[in-house]
Amino acid sequence: MQIARGLKALRMRAGLTQSEVAKRAGVSVGTVNRYETWQDRAKLRVPTVSALAETCGASPQEREALVELVRNQQNGWWMDHPGLPEVMDPLMSFEDVAEYEHVYANALVPGLLQTPDYALALHRAQDVRAEVEADAIAEKVDARIRRQAILERSPALHLWVVLDDAVLRRPVGGPDVMSAQIDHLSTMAQRPNVDIQVLKFAAGAHAAGSGGHFLILGRDDEKNPLNSMNVVYLELHKRGLYLDAPTEVQSYKLMFDYLRSQAADTSNSVELLAAARQELIR
C-alpha cells in the first residue's frame, strides 16, 4: 500500500498522467495502473518501481525508500521507521485503502474528527520547543484537516469511534474551542458512515485497561485475500507503532468489540455529547 500510494503521489506531484509515465519509463500503462492500485503486490519488481519513481522525479531518499519497501514487503521494516518520506506515510496509506477504521480514544479527539482550532491547540501544546515556528505548526494542522477528506470519498470509509469520557472533560484550547469541537462531534455522528460511542466513567474498569489510543484499519476481500488488510496502529508521542500479526490484530478487534458493548449506544452517546457541551458553558 505504501508503494502504491508513494508512486501515485510522486506522479501527481510531477503533474504526469499514467500514460506519460508509462512512455517515459518504458512500461505499459497497465503496469503503472497495477503498481498504483496495489494489484499483484507479490509480483512487484525493484527495477520497475525504481524506474517509475525516477520518471516522476523522486528524490534519492524517496526512491530508496520505495525500493526497500519492495525488497522487504514481509518484514514490515517501515512500520516504525523514522526516515520514511512523508509522501509514503503509513497511516495515510492504510486509510487510503481501508474500508473501515475503528478507534479507541482515551485522552484526545481522534484526528479524523478534530476541528482546526482543536488541532491547533493540540499542536501548540505538544510542540514545546521555542524554535518551532507558527508556520510549521499551521502546516501540521492543515495536513491533519486535509486527511479528513477520507471521510468524503466514495465508497465512504466507515469510522467507528469509542470516546472515553475523559476526552470530553479535557478542555483543549479552552471552553469555546472545546464547545465547538463537541458540536462538530455531534454533527459528524449524524453521518451514515460515522458512529460515535461514549464510554462513561460510570462504566468502571473496561476492556482497554491501562492501554492508550489505538486504531484498527481493515479491508476484507474474500475473493482475493492478498487484497485484504488488517492492521493496528498504536499512537505514541512522536510516531506510531503498527501491528499486523493476525493474533495481535484479532486481540485488538476483540478488545474493541468489548469496548463497544461497554460504551453507551450511539443514540445515548449523542445525548452525552450534548450534556458535556452544556457543562462547558455553565
Side-chain angles (χ1 to χ4, degrees):
M1 285 168 290
Q2 287 66 41
I3 299 168
R5 182 175 181 273
L7 289 172
K8 184 176 181 180
L10 289 171
R11 179 175 63 78
M12 297 298 289
R13 189 178 71 188
L16 299 173
T17 65
Q18 288 189 343
S19 296
E20 289 170 331
V21 171
K23 183 176 181 179
R24 297 182 187 186
V27 299
S28 69
V29 176
T31 296
V32 177
N33 184 63
R34 285 197 305 275
Y35 275 62
E36 287 191 5
T37 55
W38 200 50
Q39 298 178 33
D40 300 328
R41 59 175 174 165
K43 300 179 182 179
L44 299 181
R45 299 288 182 264
V46 167
T48 302
V49 167
S50 183
L52 293 176
E54 289 181 1
T55 297
C56 295
S59 68
Q61 181 194 22
E62 290 168 339
R63 186 189 65 79
E64 185 58 29
L66 282 165
V67 168
E68 285 301 311
L69 284 169
V70 177
R71 290 173 175 160
N72 299 278
Q73 290 182 75
Q74 302 304 318
N75 67 20
W77 69 272
W78 47 268
M79 288 188 173
D80 62 351
H81 196 282
L84 195 68
E86 184 178 352
V87 74
M88 287 173 282
D89 176 82
L91 180 57
M92 295 183 69
S93 298
F94 283 128
E95 286 179 337
D96 278 347
V97 298
E99 293 176 343
Y100 61 85
E101 181 170 327
H102 295 166
V103 185
Y104 167 61
N106 69 326
L108 302 170
V109 172
L112 290 181
L113 296 177
Q114 291 176 7
T115 65
D117 286 341
Y118 185 97
L120 178 60
L122 283 180
H123 279 295
R124 281 176 173 169
Q126 293 168 356
D127 291 321
V128 296
R129 296 167 298 167
E131 67 269 21
V132 177
E133 298 181 357
D135 288 347
I137 293 177
E139 288 178 4
K140 292 180 180 180
V141 172
D142 182 61
R144 178 162 297 185
I145 300 306
R146 282 189 284 110
R147 176 182 152 216
Q148 296 174 359
I150 198 74
L151 296 174
E152 308 292 341
R153 75 178 192 198
S154 181
L157 175 78
H158 187 188
L159 177 65
W160 198 314
V161 177
V162 174
L163 288 176
D164 192 284
D165 226 341
V167 175
L168 305 176
R169 310 300 169 186
R170 185 182 301 278
V172 173
D176 291 341
V177 170
M178 196 64 199
S179 294
Q181 176 62 72
I182 294 177
D183 285 342
H184 182 63
L185 290 172
S186 297
T187 299
M188 296 299 291
Q190 305 304 316
R191 292 194 176 194
N193 64 315
V194 177
D195 289 293
I196 298 176
Q197 291 182 260
V198 176
L199 183 61
K200 298 188 293 184
F201 287 136
H206 53 77
S210 59
H213 188 116
F214 69 83
L215 288 70
I216 304 170
L217 298 112
R219 184 179 76 184
D220 301 317
D221 189 337
E222 295 182 358
K223 294 183 179 180
N224 187 358
L226 274 180
N227 282 331
S228 294
M229 175 197 72
N230 283 284
V231 65
V232 174
Y233 171 73
L234 305 179
E235 192 164 285
L236 306 177
H237 178 55
K238 286 297 183 183
R239 62 186 184 188
L241 176 65
Y242 296 84
L243 308 174
D244 63 353
T247 54
E248 291 181 313
V249 172
Q250 187 56 38
S251 176
Y252 276 88
K253 283 186 173 182
L254 182 61
M255 187 191 308
F256 191 76
D257 285 342
Y258 272 103
L259 287 169
R260 286 191 291 197
S261 69
Q262 292 172 303
D265 63 31
T266 52
S267 296
N268 287 333
S269 292
V270 171
E271 297 176 4
L272 292 171
L273 290 173
R277 190 191 187 286
Q278 282 298 116
E279 291 181 13
L280 283 167
I281 60 178
R282 284 177 184 172

